[in-house]
Amino acid sequence: AVLSNSDDSGDDVQLGEIETAAAKTGQRILVFHANRENDFDPAFESMAQSGVGALFVNASPFFTSQRKRLIALAERHGSPACYSFREFAVDGGLMTYGTSIPDQHRQAGVYAGRILKGEKPSELPVLRPTKFELVINRKTAKALGLEIPDRLLALADEVIE
């Protein structure tokens, strides 16, 4: 399943990429929407009724602001969930895979410096993130009864015990 915030401007792009990846691997994706706080409980209930085996929570500032609640709901429903930002795993989520926010902040600082030295912002290239992080929370995996393969643990940038 994918938890989506259709009020977020980047949501369509994220869903398109997820659906493309799912089609390549033969996976079926169910999309559940939550645009407000009172949408979370019904979305998780619908996921449970649909027999969802795993959940990906789209990157959304709204979801990040509600991360502790989303993590608690995933735990209550026994849903293995993957998120986009490492803070979710630090706060108890199972795993995260996404861009490195500190790396993006560093690049923003570099650009600010270039602008302050006289470069025109319109002449600076648009950069895409290049550093992605995989963070796994083993404590959460154990609570869900999941065994994380050693190969995956070895690939992780950080493993939270």
Side-chain angles (χ1 to χ4, degrees):
V2 175
L3 185 64
S4 171
N5 177 359
S6 57
D7 287 345
D8 190 305
S9 61
D11 190 69
D12 289 342
V13 173
Q14 289 180 71
L15 283 177
E17 291 174 0
I18 290 167
E19 289 169 346
T20 299
K24 288 180 182 177
T25 61
Q27 298 293 313
R28 191 181 101 185
I29 298 295
L30 298 176
V31 178
F32 297 87
H33 295 279
N35 301 334
R36 287 167 287 294
E37 288 182 46
N38 62 355
D39 293 338
F40 290 141
D41 287 321
F44 275 83
E45 290 297 327
S46 294
M47 285 181 226
Q49 291 171 1
S50 299
V52 166
L55 169 64
F56 179 77
V57 177
N58 264 356
S60 165
F62 172 60
F63 291 162
T64 301
S65 74
Q66 298 294 313
R67 72 180 172 269
K68 290 185 180 185
R69 184 161 178 218
L70 289 170
I71 291 164
L73 282 165
E75 180 182 343
R76 184 176 344 137
H77 289 276
S79 298
C82 182
Y83 309 90
S84 296
F85 303 112
R86 86 176 282 287
E87 290 77 16
F88 281 88
V90 169
D91 286 344
L94 175 62
M95 65 184 347
T96 64
Y97 183 73
T99 60
S100 169
I101 299 300
D103 189 61
Q104 290 179 339
H105 289 165
R106 183 193 59 75
Q107 188 59 49
V110 169
Y111 266 37
R114 290 175 66 179
I115 292 166
L116 289 172
K117 289 179 182 177
E119 290 189 54
K120 293 181 181 179
S122 62
E123 294 177 3
L124 294 174
V126 174
L127 299 178
R128 294 184 66 129
T130 57
K131 182 175 181 184
F132 294 82
E133 299 175 315
L134 172 63
V135 181
I136 299 171
N137 187 316
R138 286 183 86 175
K139 181 180 176 185
T140 302
K142 288 177 186 174
L144 290 168
L146 298 174
E147 180 78 27
I148 305 293
D150 289 338
R151 238 180 16 222
L152 187 57
L153 291 171
L155 291 172
D157 295 285
E158 182 178 356
V159 176
I160 298 169
E161 300 291 340

